[in-house]
Amino acid sequence: MSNAIAPIGSPSGGVSTDTSRLASKENLDAAGQRFEAVFTGMMLKSMRQAKLSDGLFDSKGEDQFRDMQDQQLAQSMAAHAPIGIGKAMTAFLAKNLKTDAGAEPAAAPAAPDGGTVK
């Protein structure tokens, strides 16, 4: 039994090329909201790391609790007061989806004798 890992981009594994889930507006909106939550969470984490001094009662437990609180805050912000990056990503994906769906296969070029080139 072989446990070889398929290379990225191959049909048998790695990156998925199935974009059918992007066809639904609800899926695009949900992906945009999740992206916004992740982005906001990263921004909050970066802001927390920029603290100027250590607190008197800092501990690992307090840091873990603050991280969980920041995750919930980021999800709440993305749902109720988005900053717009998720909406921009959703619009970009929807635009690309429309251009991919709108592209029709090109007709075969005509040969000089009136037939088609093969």
Side-chain angles (χ1 to χ4, degrees):
M1 187 161 92
S2 174
N3 288 336
I5 298 175
I8 294 177
S10 72
S12 61
V15 178
S16 173
T17 57
D18 178 24
T19 59
S20 62
R21 65 186 176 279
L22 297 176
S24 168
K25 181 167 176 21
E26 293 82 22
N27 286 347
L28 278 175
D29 290 341
Q33 185 174 349
R34 282 191 298 256
F35 180 77
E36 179 117 15
V38 168
F39 181 82
T40 306
M42 290 173 59
M43 187 175 65
L44 287 170
K45 185 176 181 179
S46 178
M47 289 168 49
R48 294 275 187 207
Q49 289 176 346
K51 62 183 176 182
L52 300 176
S53 65
D54 291 330
L56 184 61
F57 301 109
D58 278 349
S59 68
K60 295 284 184 189
E62 184 180 352
D63 291 342
Q64 184 177 8
F65 178 75
R66 185 172 289 130
D67 288 344
M68 291 188 303
Q69 182 184 20
D70 285 348
Q71 278 183 336
Q72 289 299 317
L73 178 62
Q75 289 174 0
S76 177
M77 287 173 65
H80 301 294
I83 59 176
I85 195 162
K87 185 176 179 181
M89 185 200 69
T90 302
F92 177 76
L93 289 174
K95 180 180 72 169
N96 283 346
L97 184 65
K98 288 176 188 173
T99 58
D100 289 345
E104 296 178 12
D113 63 352
T116 59
V117 176
K118 293 186 180 185

